[in-house]
Coordinates of all heavy atoms in Angstrom, one line a residue:
M10 N -51.4 -1.6 -25.8 CA -50.7 -1.2 -24.6 C -51.7 -0.4 -23.8 O -51.8 -0.8 -22.5 CB -49.6 -0.2 -25.0 CG -48.3 -0.9 -24.7 SD -47.1 0.4 -24.8 CE -45.7 -0.4 -25.4
V11 N -52.4 0.5 -24.3 CA -53.4 1.3 -23.4 C -54.6 0.4 -22.9 O -55.0 0.5 -21.8 CB -53.8 2.5 -24.1 CG1 -54.9 3.2 -23.4 CG2 -52.7 3.5 -24.4
A12 N -55.0 -0.5 -23.8 CA -56.1 -1.4 -23.4 C -55.6 -2.3 -22.3 O -56.3 -2.6 -21.3 CB -56.5 -2.2 -24.6
K13 N -54.4 -2.7 -22.3 CA -53.8 -3.5 -21.2 C -53.8 -2.7 -19.9 O -54.2 -3.2 -18.8 CB -52.4 -4.0 -21.6 CG -52.0 -5.0 -20.5 CD -50.7 -5.6 -20.9 CE -50.2 -6.6 -19.8 NZ -49.0 -7.3 -20.2
A14 N -53.4 -1.4 -20.0 CA -53.3 -0.7 -18.8 C -54.8 -0.3 -18.2 O -55.1 -0.4 -17.1 CB -52.7 0.8 -19.2
V15 N -55.7 -0.2 -19.2 CA -57.1 0.1 -18.7 C -57.9 -1.0 -18.4 O -58.6 -1.1 -17.4 CB -57.9 0.9 -19.9 CG1 -59.3 1.1 -19.6 CG2 -57.2 2.3 -20.2
L16 N -57.8 -2.1 -19.1 CA -58.6 -3.4 -19.0 C -57.9 -4.5 -18.4 O -58.5 -5.5 -18.0 CB -59.1 -3.8 -20.4 CG -60.0 -2.7 -21.2 CD1 -60.2 -3.2 -22.5 CD2 -61.2 -2.4 -20.3
G17 N -56.5 -4.3 -18.2 CA -55.8 -5.5 -17.5 C -55.4 -6.4 -18.5 O -54.7 -7.5 -18.1
K18 N -55.6 -6.3 -19.7 CA -55.3 -7.4 -20.8 C -55.4 -6.6 -22.2 O -56.1 -5.8 -22.5 CB -56.3 -8.5 -20.9 CG -56.1 -9.5 -21.9 CD -57.1 -10.6 -21.8 CE -56.8 -11.6 -23.0 NZ -57.9 -12.6 -23.1
A19 N -54.4 -7.0 -23.0 CA -54.3 -6.5 -24.3 C -55.1 -7.3 -25.2 O -55.5 -8.5 -25.0 CB -52.9 -6.5 -24.8
Y20 N -55.8 -6.7 -26.2 CA -56.7 -7.4 -27.2 C -56.3 -7.2 -28.6 O -56.8 -6.4 -29.4 CB -58.1 -6.9 -27.0 CG -58.7 -7.3 -25.7 CD1 -58.6 -6.6 -24.6 CD2 -59.3 -8.6 -25.6 CE1 -59.1 -7.0 -23.3 CE2 -59.8 -9.1 -24.4 CZ -59.8 -8.3 -23.2 OH -60.2 -8.7 -22.0
P21 N -55.1 -7.7 -28.9 CA -54.6 -7.4 -30.3 C -55.4 -7.9 -31.5 O -55.4 -7.2 -32.6 CB -53.3 -8.2 -30.4 CG -53.4 -9.2 -29.3 CD -54.2 -8.6 -28.3
E22 N -56.3 -8.9 -31.2 CA -57.2 -9.3 -32.3 C -58.2 -8.2 -32.6 O -58.7 -8.0 -33.8 CB -57.9 -10.6 -31.9 CG -58.9 -10.5 -30.7 CD -58.2 -10.7 -29.4 OE1 -56.9 -10.5 -29.2 OE2 -58.9 -10.9 -28.4
V23 N -58.7 -7.4 -31.6 CA -59.7 -6.2 -31.8 C -58.8 -5.2 -32.5 O -59.4 -4.7 -33.5 CB -60.2 -5.8 -30.5 CG1 -60.9 -4.4 -30.7 CG2 -61.0 -6.9 -29.7
D24 N -57.6 -4.8 -32.2 CA -56.8 -3.8 -33.0 C -56.7 -4.3 -34.4 O -56.8 -3.5 -35.4 CB -55.5 -3.7 -32.4 CG -55.6 -3.1 -31.0 OD1 -56.5 -2.3 -30.8 OD2 -54.8 -3.4 -30.1
R25 N -56.4 -5.6 -34.7 CA -56.1 -6.1 -36.1 C -57.6 -6.0 -36.8 O -57.6 -5.6 -37.9 CB -55.7 -7.6 -36.1 CG -54.2 -7.7 -35.8 CD -53.7 -9.1 -36.0 NE -54.5 -10.0 -35.3 CZ -54.0 -10.4 -34.1 NH1 -53.0 -9.9 -33.6 NH2 -54.8 -11.4 -33.5
F26 N -58.7 -6.4 -36.2 CA -60.0 -6.3 -36.8 C -60.3 -4.9 -37.2 O -60.7 -4.6 -38.3 CB -61.0 -6.8 -35.9 CG -62.4 -6.7 -36.4 CD1 -62.9 -7.4 -37.4 CD2 -63.2 -5.7 -35.9 CE1 -64.1 -7.2 -37.9 CE2 -64.5 -5.5 -36.4 CZ -65.0 -6.3 -37.4
L27 N -60.1 -3.9 -36.3 CA -60.5 -2.5 -36.6 C -59.5 -2.0 -37.6 O -59.9 -1.0 -38.3 CB -60.3 -1.7 -35.3 CG -61.3 -2.1 -34.2 CD1 -61.1 -1.1 -33.0 CD2 -62.8 -2.0 -34.7
D28 N -58.3 -2.3 -37.7 CA -57.4 -1.7 -38.6 C -57.1 -2.5 -39.9 O -56.3 -1.9 -40.8 CB -56.0 -1.5 -37.9 CG -56.2 -0.3 -36.9 OD1 -57.1 0.5 -37.0 OD2 -55.3 -0.3 -35.9
W29 N -57.7 -3.6 -40.1 CA -57.5 -4.3 -41.4 C -57.7 -3.5 -42.6 O -57.0 -3.7 -43.6 CB -58.1 -5.7 -41.5 CG -59.6 -5.7 -41.8 CD1 -60.6 -5.7 -40.9 CD2 -60.1 -5.6 -43.0 NE1 -61.9 -5.6 -41.5 CE2 -61.6 -5.5 -42.9 CE3 -59.7 -5.4 -44.4 CZ2 -62.4 -5.4 -43.9 CZ3 -60.6 -5.3 -45.4 CH2 -61.9 -5.3 -45.2
P30 N -58.7 -2.6 -42.7 CA -58.9 -1.8 -43.9 C -57.8 -1.0 -44.3 O -57.6 -0.4 -45.4 CB -60.1 -1.1 -43.7 CG -60.9 -1.8 -42.6 CD -59.7 -2.2 -41.8
Y31 N -56.8 -0.9 -43.5 CA -55.6 0.1 -43.7 C -54.9 -0.5 -44.9 O -54.3 0.3 -45.7 CB -54.6 0.2 -42.5 CG -53.5 1.1 -42.7 CD1 -53.7 2.4 -42.4 CD2 -52.2 0.6 -43.2 CE1 -52.6 3.3 -42.7 CE2 -51.3 1.5 -43.6 CZ -51.4 2.9 -43.2 OH -50.5 3.8 -43.3
K32 N -54.8 -1.8 -45.1 CA -54.2 -2.5 -46.2 C -54.8 -1.7 -47.6 O -54.0 -1.8 -48.5 CB -54.4 -3.9 -46.2 CG -53.7 -4.5 -45.0 CD -54.0 -6.0 -44.8 CE -53.5 -6.6 -43.6 NZ -53.9 -8.0 -43.4
I33 N -55.9 -1.5 -47.6 CA -56.6 -1.1 -48.8 C -56.7 0.5 -48.9 O -56.5 1.1 -49.9 CB -58.0 -1.7 -49.0 CG1 -57.9 -3.2 -49.0 CG2 -58.7 -1.2 -50.2 CD1 -59.2 -4.0 -48.7
L34 N -57.1 1.0 -47.7 CA -57.5 2.4 -47.7 C -56.4 3.3 -47.1 O -56.5 4.6 -47.2 CB -58.8 2.7 -46.9 CG -60.0 2.0 -47.4 CD1 -61.2 2.1 -46.4 CD2 -60.3 2.6 -48.7
G35 N -55.3 2.8 -46.6 CA -54.3 3.6 -45.9 C -54.8 4.4 -44.8 O -55.7 3.9 -44.1
P36 N -54.4 5.6 -44.7 CA -54.8 6.5 -43.5 C -56.3 6.6 -43.4 O -56.8 7.0 -42.4 CB -54.1 7.8 -43.7 CG -52.9 7.4 -44.5 CD -53.4 6.3 -45.4
R37 N -56.9 6.5 -44.6 CA -58.5 6.8 -44.5 C -59.2 5.5 -44.0 O -60.4 5.5 -44.0 CB -58.9 7.1 -45.9 CG -58.6 8.5 -46.4 CD -59.1 9.1 -47.6 NE -60.6 8.7 -47.8 CZ -61.6 9.4 -47.1 NH1 -61.3 10.4 -46.4 NH2 -62.9 9.0 -47.4
H38 N -58.5 4.5 -43.6 CA -59.1 3.2 -43.1 C -60.2 3.5 -42.1 O -61.0 2.7 -41.8 CB -58.1 2.2 -42.8 CG -57.5 2.5 -41.4 ND1 -56.5 3.4 -41.2 CD2 -57.7 2.0 -40.1 CE1 -56.1 3.4 -40.0 NE2 -56.9 2.6 -39.3
R39 N -59.9 4.6 -41.3 CA -60.9 4.9 -40.1 C -62.2 5.3 -40.5 O -63.1 5.3 -39.6 CB -60.2 6.0 -39.2 CG -58.9 5.4 -38.7 CD -58.4 6.5 -37.7 NE -57.0 5.9 -37.2 CZ -55.9 6.4 -37.6 NH1 -55.8 7.3 -38.5 NH2 -54.8 5.8 -37.1
V40 N -62.6 5.4 -41.8 CA -64.0 5.6 -42.2 C -64.8 4.3 -41.8 O -66.0 4.4 -41.9 CB -64.1 6.1 -43.6 CG1 -63.4 7.4 -43.9 CG2 -63.6 5.1 -44.6
L41 N -64.1 3.2 -41.7 CA -64.7 2.0 -41.4 C -64.3 1.5 -40.0 O -63.2 1.6 -39.5 CB -64.2 0.8 -42.3 CG -64.6 1.0 -43.9 CD1 -63.9 0.0 -44.7 CD2 -66.0 1.1 -44.1
F42 N -65.3 1.0 -39.3 CA -65.0 0.4 -37.9 C -64.5 1.3 -36.8 O -64.0 0.9 -35.9 CB -64.2 -0.8 -38.0 CG -64.6 -1.8 -39.0 CD1 -63.6 -2.3 -39.9 CD2 -65.8 -2.3 -39.1 CE1 -64.0 -3.3 -40.9 CE2 -66.2 -3.3 -40.0 CZ -65.3 -3.8 -41.0
H43 N -64.7 2.6 -37.1 CA -64.1 3.6 -36.0 C -65.3 4.5 -35.7 O -65.0 5.7 -35.5 CB -63.0 4.3 -36.6 CG -61.7 3.5 -36.6 ND1 -61.4 2.4 -37.3 CD2 -60.6 3.7 -35.8 CE1 -60.2 1.9 -37.0 NE2 -59.7 2.7 -36.1
D44 N -66.4 4.0 -35.5 CA -67.6 4.8 -35.1 C -67.8 4.4 -33.5 O -68.1 3.2 -33.2 CB -68.8 4.5 -35.9 CG -70.0 5.3 -35.4 OD1 -70.0 5.8 -34.3 OD2 -70.9 5.3 -36.2
L45 N -67.6 5.2 -32.6 CA -67.7 5.1 -31.2 C -69.0 4.7 -30.8 O -69.3 4.0 -29.8 CB -67.2 6.2 -30.4 CG -66.9 6.1 -28.9 CD1 -65.8 5.0 -28.7 CD2 -66.3 7.4 -28.4
K46 N -70.0 5.1 -31.5 CA -71.5 4.9 -31.2 C -71.8 3.4 -31.6 O -72.7 2.8 -30.8 CB -72.3 5.8 -32.0 CG -72.2 7.2 -31.4 CD -73.2 8.2 -32.3 CE -73.0 9.5 -31.9 NZ -73.8 10.4 -32.6
T47 N -71.3 2.8 -32.6 CA -71.7 1.4 -32.9 C -70.7 0.4 -32.9 O -71.0 -0.9 -32.6 CB -72.2 1.5 -34.5 OG1 -71.2 2.0 -35.3 CG2 -73.4 2.5 -34.6
T48 N -69.4 0.7 -33.2 CA -68.4 -0.4 -33.2 C -68.2 -1.1 -31.9 O -68.1 -2.4 -32.1 CB -67.1 0.1 -33.8 OG1 -67.3 0.7 -35.0 CG2 -66.0 -0.9 -33.8
P49 N -68.0 -0.4 -30.7 CA -67.9 -1.3 -29.5 C -69.1 -2.3 -29.4 O -68.8 -3.5 -29.0 CB -67.8 -0.3 -28.5 CG -67.3 0.9 -29.1 CD -67.9 0.9 -30.5
A50 N -70.3 -1.8 -29.6 CA -71.4 -2.8 -29.4 C -71.4 -3.9 -30.4 O -71.6 -5.0 -30.2 CB -72.8 -2.0 -29.6
M51 N -70.9 -3.6 -31.7 CA -70.8 -4.6 -32.7 C -69.7 -5.7 -32.3 O -70.0 -6.9 -32.5 CB -70.4 -4.0 -34.1 CG -70.1 -5.0 -35.2 SD -69.5 -4.3 -36.7 CE -67.9 -3.7 -36.2
V52 N -68.6 -5.2 -31.8 CA -67.6 -6.2 -31.5 C -68.1 -7.0 -30.3 O -67.8 -8.2 -30.2 CB -66.3 -5.4 -31.1 CG1 -65.2 -6.3 -30.4 CG2 -65.7 -4.7 -32.3
T53 N -68.7 -6.4 -29.4 CA -69.3 -7.1 -28.2 C -70.3 -8.2 -28.8 O -70.3 -9.4 -28.2 CB -70.1 -6.2 -27.2 OG1 -69.1 -5.3 -26.7 CG2 -70.6 -7.0 -26.1
L54 N -71.2 -7.9 -29.6 CA -72.2 -8.8 -30.1 C -71.5 -9.9 -30.9 O -71.8 -11.1 -30.8 CB -73.2 -8.2 -31.0 CG -74.1 -7.3 -30.2 CD1 -75.1 -6.4 -31.2 CD2 -75.0 -8.1 -29.2
L55 N -70.5 -9.7 -31.7 CA -69.8 -10.5 -32.5 C -69.0 -11.5 -31.7 O -68.8 -12.7 -32.0 CB -68.9 -10.0 -33.7 CG -69.8 -9.2 -34.8 CD1 -68.7 -8.5 -35.7 CD2 -70.5 -10.2 -35.6
T56 N -68.4 -11.1 -30.7 CA -67.5 -11.9 -29.9 C -68.1 -12.4 -28.6 O -67.7 -13.4 -28.1 CB -66.3 -11.1 -29.6 OG1 -66.6 -10.1 -28.6 CG2 -65.4 -10.7 -30.8
G57 N -69.2 -11.9 -28.2 CA -69.7 -12.3 -26.9 C -69.0 -11.9 -25.7 O -69.3 -12.4 -24.6
D58 N -68.0 -10.9 -25.9 CA -67.2 -10.5 -24.8 C -67.2 -9.0 -24.7 O -66.6 -8.3 -25.6 CB -65.8 -11.0 -25.2 CG -64.8 -10.8 -24.1 OD1 -65.0 -10.0 -23.1 OD2 -63.6 -11.3 -24.2
V59 N -67.8 -8.5 -23.6 CA -67.9 -7.1 -23.5 C -66.6 -6.5 -23.3 O -66.4 -5.3 -23.6 CB -68.9 -6.8 -22.2 CG1 -68.2 -7.1 -20.9 CG2 -69.3 -5.3 -22.3
R60 N -65.6 -7.1 -22.8 CA -64.3 -6.5 -22.6 C -63.6 -6.2 -24.0 O -62.9 -5.3 -24.2 CB -63.4 -7.4 -21.6 CG -63.9 -7.5 -20.3 CD -63.1 -8.2 -19.4 NE -61.8 -7.7 -19.0 CZ -61.6 -6.7 -18.2 NH1 -62.6 -6.1 -17.6 NH2 -60.4 -6.3 -17.9
K61 N -63.9 -7.0 -24.9 CA -63.4 -6.8 -26.4 C -64.1 -5.6 -26.9 O -63.6 -4.8 -27.5 CB -63.6 -8.0 -27.2 CG -62.7 -9.1 -26.9 CD -62.8 -10.3 -27.7 CE -61.7 -11.4 -27.4 NZ -61.9 -12.6 -28.2
G62 N -65.4 -5.4 -26.6 CA -66.1 -4.2 -27.0 C -65.4 -2.9 -26.3 O -65.4 -1.9 -27.0
M63 N -65.2 -3.1 -25.2 CA -64.5 -1.9 -24.4 C -63.1 -1.8 -25.0 O -62.7 -0.6 -25.1 CB -64.4 -2.3 -22.9 CG -65.7 -2.3 -22.3 SD -65.7 -2.9 -20.5 CE -64.2 -2.4 -19.6
A64 N -62.4 -2.7 -25.4 CA -61.1 -2.6 -26.1 C -61.3 -1.8 -27.4 O -60.5 -1.0 -27.8 CB -60.4 -3.9 -26.4
A65 N -62.3 -2.1 -28.1 CA -62.6 -1.5 -29.4 C -62.7 0.1 -29.1 O -62.3 0.9 -29.7 CB -63.8 -2.0 -30.0
A66 N -63.5 0.4 -28.0 CA -63.8 1.8 -27.6 C -62.4 2.5 -27.2 O -62.3 3.6 -27.7 CB -64.7 1.9 -26.4
V67 N -61.7 1.9 -26.6 CA -60.4 2.4 -26.2 C -59.5 2.7 -27.5 O -58.9 3.8 -27.6 CB -59.6 1.4 -25.2 CG1 -58.1 1.9 -25.1 CG2 -60.2 1.4 -23.9
H68 N -59.5 1.8 -28.4 CA -58.8 1.9 -29.6 C -59.3 3.1 -30.4 O -58.5 4.0 -30.9 CB -58.9 0.5 -30.5 CG -58.4 0.6 -31.8 ND1 -57.3 -0.2 -32.2 CD2 -58.8 1.3 -33.1 CE1 -57.0 0.1 -33.5 NE2 -57.8 1.0 -34.0
I69 N -60.6 3.2 -30.6 CA -61.2 4.3 -31.3 C -61.0 5.7 -30.6 O -60.5 6.6 -31.3 CB -62.7 4.0 -31.4 CG1 -63.0 2.8 -32.3 CG2 -63.4 5.3 -32.1 CD1 -64.4 2.3 -32.3
L70 N -61.1 5.8 -29.4 CA -60.7 6.9 -28.7 C -59.3 7.4 -28.9 O -59.0 8.6 -29.0 CB -61.0 6.7 -27.0 CG -62.5 6.9 -26.8 CD1 -62.8 6.4 -25.3 CD2 -63.2 8.2 -27.1
L71 N -58.4 6.4 -28.6 CA -56.9 6.7 -28.9 C -56.7 7.2 -30.4 O -56.0 8.3 -30.6 CB -56.1 5.6 -28.7 CG -55.9 5.2 -27.2 CD1 -55.2 3.9 -27.1 CD2 -55.1 6.3 -26.5
D72 N -57.3 6.6 -31.3 CA -57.2 7.0 -32.7 C -57.7 8.4 -32.9 O -57.1 9.2 -33.6 CB -57.8 6.1 -33.7 CG -57.0 4.9 -34.0 OD1 -55.9 4.8 -33.5 OD2 -57.5 4.1 -34.8
K73 N -58.8 8.7 -32.4 CA -59.5 10.0 -32.6 C -58.7 11.2 -31.8 O -58.6 12.2 -32.1 CB -60.8 10.1 -32.1 CG -61.8 9.3 -33.0 CD -63.2 9.4 -32.7 CE -64.1 8.7 -33.5 NZ -64.1 9.1 -35.0
T74 N -58.0 10.7 -30.7 CA -57.3 11.7 -29.9 C -56.0 12.0 -30.5 O -55.6 13.2 -30.5 CB -57.1 11.2 -28.4 OG1 -58.5 10.9 -27.9 CG2 -56.4 12.2 -27.6
F75 N -55.3 10.9 -31.0 CA -53.8 11.2 -31.4 C -53.6 11.2 -32.8 O -52.4 11.4 -33.2 CB -52.9 10.1 -30.6 CG -53.0 10.3 -29.1 CD1 -53.6 9.5 -28.4 CD2 -52.3 11.4 -28.6 CE1 -53.7 9.6 -26.9 CE2 -52.3 11.5 -27.3 CZ -52.9 10.7 -26.4
S76 N -54.6 10.9 -33.7 CA -54.4 11.0 -35.1 C -54.7 12.3 -35.7 O -55.7 12.9 -35.3 CB -55.4 10.0 -35.8 OG -54.9 8.6 -35.3
K77 N -53.9 12.7 -36.6 CA -54.1 14.0 -37.3 C -55.4 13.9 -38.2 O -56.1 14.8 -38.3 CB -52.9 14.4 -38.2 CG -51.7 14.8 -37.4 CD -50.6 15.1 -38.3 CE -49.2 15.4 -37.5 NZ -48.2 15.7 -38.4
R78 N -55.6 12.7 -38.7 CA -56.6 12.5 -39.6 C -57.4 11.4 -39.2 O -57.0 10.2 -39.2 CB -56.0 12.3 -41.1 CG -57.1 12.2 -42.1 CD -56.4 12.0 -43.5 NE -57.4 11.9 -44.5 CZ -57.3 12.2 -45.6 NH1 -56.2 12.7 -46.1 NH2 -58.2 12.1 -46.6
T79 N -58.6 11.6 -38.8 CA -59.5 10.5 -38.3 C -60.5 10.1 -39.4 O -61.3 9.1 -39.1 CB -60.2 10.9 -37.0 OG1 -61.0 12.1 -37.2 CG2 -59.2 11.2 -35.9
R80 N -60.7 10.7 -40.4 CA -61.6 10.3 -41.4 C -61.0 10.3 -42.8 O -60.1 10.8 -43.1 CB -62.7 11.3 -41.5 CG -63.6 11.2 -40.1 CD -64.9 11.8 -40.4 NE -65.8 10.8 -39.9 CZ -67.1 10.8 -40.2 NH1 -67.6 11.7 -40.9 NH2 -67.8 9.8 -39.6

């Protein structure tokens, strides 16, 4: 929702990619793929789409801002 407001389009595939470890790690899943310094660049390189990298950054910032436990 927020990515759509910020970027003009939702990127649910980015959200699914960043959050898939939840199935195994539960709330601690953010130890993977939630590094603001590297993950947006990784997503951009893997997809070839800078907007998907920006969507990853939005996702991570929201998680860090609104989650009680980010690690």
Side-chain angles (χ1 to χ4, degrees):
M10 254 190 202
V11 174
K13 185 174 182 177
V15 173
L16 302 172
K18 179 181 174 186
Y20 292 90
E22 66 276 18
V23 172
D24 295 327
R25 282 191 302 273
F26 172 75
L27 296 180
D28 286 341
W29 76 262
Y31 188 86
K32 296 174 186 174
I33 300 164
L34 299 174
R37 289 192 39 81
H38 77 282
R39 292 185 186 101
V40 298
L41 301 172
F42 309 130
H43 281 68
D44 182 347
L45 194 54
K46 294 178 184 176
T47 59
T48 301
M51 176 187 68
V52 170
T53 299
L54 290 172
L55 289 173
T56 64
D58 187 344
V59 72
R60 294 179 70 76
K61 288 183 180 180
M63 291 169 35
V67 168
H68 177 110
I69 295 165
L70 285 170
L71 285 172
D72 277 0
K73 290 187 180 291
T74 301
F75 293 106
S76 297
K77 291 180 183 177
R78 183 177 182 154
T79 59
R80 294 197 129 198

